[in-house]
Amino acid sequence: MTDGTRAAGRRRIYLAGFDVFRIDAVDYGRSLQRLCARFGFEGVFPLDASAPPGLEQADLAAWICRANLAAIRAADMVMANVADFRGVGEPDCGTAFEMGFAAALGKEIWGYRDHDRPLLRHVPSTITPAGRVCEKGYLVEDFGLPVNLMLACSARIIAGGPQACLSAIAQAWGSDSTPSPYRPTGESQIRVA
């Protein structure tokens, strides 16, 4: 639904991710929303809101930021695409920010990526006396997690795509749509679905 009203009895999921940069972003967002509906949820895609016409670039950027934050506040949870974006092992920074904002609000956070390989096995690195170092000269963290520990310890990360993630969410919430007792614990919540 894009008119700001909540579908009767459905939990609202904010659909975070770099998918907004796809050439077919609007159509892709609608497909994610249809997938959410199949699992009994209402998907809110960042491009659902329409900016007022004629805004200057800086004003448009600020408007988009405010609209996305409002959508996260109004959502029951966040589902984020945390696959590699513009670099190996690195999700989109805007998505990471939205996950952090949701965590600060106490929202349940789910993420998905195509694999659950630890960063150390995924990011190209070389062995040095200080540890494994990426091609830019920075240490690659070794916690056995597929993304940075701040994301992995604040969200349930599912290996698979949006359908696998929604299936896991639906299973966690149960058939009566009551929330699971999940709260971030500082332990990895990684699950292969």
Side-chain angles (χ1 to χ4, degrees), residues 33-99:
Q33 290 171 319
R34 286 189 298 272
L35 189 59
C36 286
R38 281 191 11 220
F39 283 93
F41 299 105
E42 177 187 352
V44 178
F45 194 63
L47 298 180
D48 288 347
S50 297
L55 293 177
E56 297 292 327
Q57 282 185 316
D59 294 331
L60 177 59
W63 186 94
I64 291 168
C65 179
R66 287 190 305 272
N68 290 352
L69 296 178
I72 294 167
R73 281 188 193 96
D76 296 298
M77 70 186 86
V78 169
M79 183 177 86
N81 180 348
V82 292
D84 295 354
F85 182 45
R86 292 185 176 138
V88 177
E90 293 299 322
D92 169 51
C93 61
T95 302
F97 174 86
E98 290 176 333
M99 292 172 73

Side-chain angles (χ1 to χ4, degrees), residues 4-189:
T5 61
R6 184 180 302 244
R10 289 189 175 184
R11 299 288 182 214
R12 186 176 284 165
I13 300 176
Y14 179 81
L15 303 167
F18 58 84
D19 304 304
V20 296
F21 298 113
R22 292 172 58 119
I23 293 170
D24 63 343
V26 172
D27 290 337
Y28 186 75
R30 288 186 187 123
S31 72
L32 287 177
Q33 290 171 319
R34 286 189 298 272
L35 189 59
C36 286
R38 281 191 11 220
F39 283 93
F41 299 105
E42 177 187 352
V44 178
F45 194 63
L47 298 180
D48 288 347
S50 297
L55 293 177
E56 297 292 327
Q57 282 185 316
D59 294 331
L60 177 59
W63 186 94
I64 291 168
C65 179
R66 287 190 305 272
N68 290 352
L69 296 178
I72 294 167
R73 281 188 193 96
D76 296 298
M77 70 186 86
V78 169
M79 183 177 86
N81 180 348
V82 292
D84 295 354
F85 182 45
R86 292 185 176 138
V88 177
E90 293 299 322
D92 169 51
C93 61
T95 302
F97 174 86
E98 290 176 333
M99 292 172 73
F101 184 71
L105 295 174
K107 306 280 183 182
E108 190 166 335
I109 306 165
W110 293 77
Y112 61 91
R113 58 187 294 111
D114 57 348
H115 66 81
D116 62 350
R117 288 189 309 276
L119 279 173
L120 197 60
R121 289 192 11 229
H122 180 62
V123 175
S125 60
T126 55
I127 298 173
T128 72
R132 285 209 166 266
V133 176
C134 75
E135 44 194 45
K136 290 191 174 187
Y138 295 101
L139 290 171
V140 179
E141 61 185 80
D142 184 14
F143 296 104
L145 303 171
V147 291
N148 178 276
L149 68 93
M150 296 302 289
L151 298 180
C153 293
S154 299
R156 290 186 184 182
I157 306 295
I158 304 298
Q163 182 167 335
C165 194
L166 283 163
S167 178
I169 294 169
Q171 184 178 21
W173 278 62
S175 59
D176 62 356
S177 293
T178 56
S180 71
Y182 170 76
R183 289 287 177 254
T185 63
E187 296 178 17
S188 174
Q189 303 289 327

